[in-house]
Structures are given as C-alpha cells and as structure tokens.
Amino acid sequence: MQLLKYIQAQGFGSRKQCQWLIDNDCIEINGEIRNRAKDDINPAEVSSLVVDGEAVVAVPMPYFYILLNKPADYETSHKPQHYPSVFSLFPDHMRNIEMQAVGRLDADTTGVLLITNDGQFNHRVTSPKHKVAKLYHVTLKHAAEQSLCDTLKNGVLLHDDNETVRATEAVLENPHTLLMTITEGKYHQVKRMVAAAGNRVEHLHRDRFGDWDTQNLAAGEWKFIDIS
Ligand code: URA
C-alpha cells in the first residue's frame, strides 16, 4: 500500500493534507521518517506510527477488529441523541475511519462490544443463523427463583413480536443475578425477555460475545483483537 494511501486510510485527513504531512517530514514509521508518498508500506509491519511529533495508534489494515468494554451512558451510534457515541472513545484520527459496531448495546448496557470495518464479519456474527452466543450478566429488580430460568429457556413471547425467543442458558447466581445466554440480537432482547417472564432488568452487562470477553479491560478501554 502506498504511503499516501496508508496515511489517508489511518484518518489523517484529505489526500492534500496527508501529502503535506509526508512532504514536511511529519510521518515516522518504525522510527524512520518517511517522506516519499509513493513508498510501499506493509501495514502488518507497522509497529509504531508518529504523526507530527505525536505517537498515534496504527490501525491494522485493511481490516481491523476492536473489543471495547463499553461503559454506561454511551450510545452505540454514529449519531447519538442523548449520550456521547461509543466511537468518541477512540483517538481523534480513528474517528475519521469508517467503522461499525457489531450489533448494538443500549446506552445503559455495559460490557463487550465489537467494532470493525469488516462488513462481512459483522454480517456473519450478527446473523441469527450463525447462533453466536452472547452471555449477559443481568441484575434483576425482583428476587427470582429457578422458575424464571425455566421460563426463559422454554421461551417467551415478546410483546409486538409474535415470535417466541429462548435463552440457550439461564442460571441464577443469586436471587438478583441471572446469567443468561442468547443467540439472536433483537432490539432490547434481554430486557424484553426478562419483562415477559415477569421480572425487570436493573442493570445489564455483556460478559461475552462469541469467544470474546472483556479480558481485564476496564470500562471504556479497548484493544485490537485477532479474529482468526
Ligand atoms: N438486550 C438488551 O435488552 N439490551 C442490550 O443492550 C443488549 C441485549
């Protein structure tokens, strides 16, 4: 990939702006100033990137996969209405790079959120056909008994949805804490299922999405992951 294309793809502005950065010795890759726009860059070999004197995150190209431990009060949207966007948690230049969340978490839901620029991957893992397991840690308003788990596993009819949905796993950790796994990603699915089963979600945290968990990331922290 040409240096100019690489710097543009990293979100450092228009072709003209990136050309200026290159011409003015503002791009340092792996400790070396790179000032020839047509030089070939192998993104996989970039271990450090400094732009205009500032060490910045080098985003893997052409595809990248991010695991974010979503904090509460952030919206999974590029056009948030009430809270800041989850995309505002990334450094400035990354906000110029096209990326999408893999499914959505409600503003008040915390935990594992994947973000990628790989549309095929996104489609694959969010499609109900592929039955990717999502594990939620649910704090319940009312003390629950085993019967709640049975109801969720047997299936509940969601209001306005005319379709029965089931939890593939549901285990009570204590009367107010439920661990629940689902394989679809319908709108407010966990909250609606718990409501349909006669309880109420006080707080929701996604512990795991497929093979990925928050891996000791604090709320708001993120990292690139390898999906192979
Ligand atoms: N189910 C919900 O109700 N909310 C979420 O954020 C995710 C799953």
Side-chain angles (χ1 to χ4, degrees):
M1 185 175 206
Q2 282 191 350
L3 176 62
L4 178 58
K5 288 241 160 65
Y6 179 73
I7 296 303
Q8 260 191 285
Q10 292 291 325
F12 288 99
S14 65
R15 192 183 159 83
K16 207 168 150 191
Q17 287 164 326
C18 292
Q19 183 74 56
W20 188 93
L21 288 168
I22 294 168
D23 291 345
N24 286 277
D25 290 347
C26 295
I27 303 295
E28 195 181 307
I29 294 178
N30 300 347
E32 219 185 297
I33 298 279
R34 304 298 298 261
N35 53 16
R36 285 187 301 269
K38 291 204 163 114
D39 271 4
D40 195 37
I41 299 295
N42 179 352
E45 287 172 1
V46 176
S47 53
S48 82
L49 177 62
V50 175
V51 176
D52 209 5
E54 196 188 328
V56 295
V57 174
V59 178
M61 297 280 155
Y63 297 118
F64 59 87
Y65 308 88
I66 290 172
L67 171 61
L68 166 71
N69 185 358
K70 180 190 172 295
D73 299 338
Y74 279 82
E75 288 184 32
T76 313
S77 168
H78 283 287
K79 291 193 180 142
Q81 296 191 320
H82 305 291
Y83 295 101
S85 161
V86 289
F87 300 102
S88 69
L89 293 163
F90 300 119
D92 284 352
H93 73 98
M94 285 178 64
R95 295 184 212 164
N96 300 325
I97 302 176
E98 211 171 291
M99 55 177 105
Q100 304 298 335
V102 178
R104 275 168 183 253
L105 289 178
D106 298 336
D108 57 352
T109 301
T110 55
V112 178
L113 182 65
L114 301 186
I115 291 172
T116 184
N117 65 341
D118 180 348
Q120 275 187 5
F121 168 80
N122 197 338
H123 183 73
R124 189 170 73 241
V125 298
T126 49
S127 156
K129 219 170 53 195
H130 287 96
K131 298 196 185 314
V132 175
K134 280 141 283 199
L135 170 64
Y136 291 91
H137 188 274
V138 187
T139 308
L140 299 165
K141 176 163 183 163
H142 309 293
E145 296 181 357
Q146 178 58 34
S147 58
L148 174 71
C149 300
D150 299 338
T151 305
L152 292 167
K153 285 195 287 187
N154 288 334
V156 288
L157 192 61
L158 296 181
H159 184 58
D160 282 348
D161 219 332
N162 239 356
E163 199 190 329
T164 300
V165 282
R166 291 178 179 78
T168 52
E169 282 291 337
V171 177
L172 272 182
E173 219 174 44
N174 62 56
H176 283 276
T177 310
L178 168 72
L179 294 176
M180 171 172 164
T181 302
I182 56 174
T183 56
E184 312 96 329
K186 289 175 182 288
Y187 181 66
H188 293 330
Q189 184 168 339
V190 173
K191 291 175 186 167
R192 289 161 73 210
M193 286 178 73
V194 169
N199 208 307
R200 194 187 152 126
V201 173
E202 285 276 279
H203 181 250
L204 191 56
H205 178 83
R206 184 151 70 189
D207 274 339
R208 183 171 272 277
F209 183 114
D211 291 336
W212 299 283
D213 59 37
T214 44
Q215 301 178 351
N216 303 324
L217 294 173
E221 287 184 346
W222 60 272
K223 64 178 194 172
F224 293 113
I225 50 168
D226 189 356
I227 61 143
S228 51

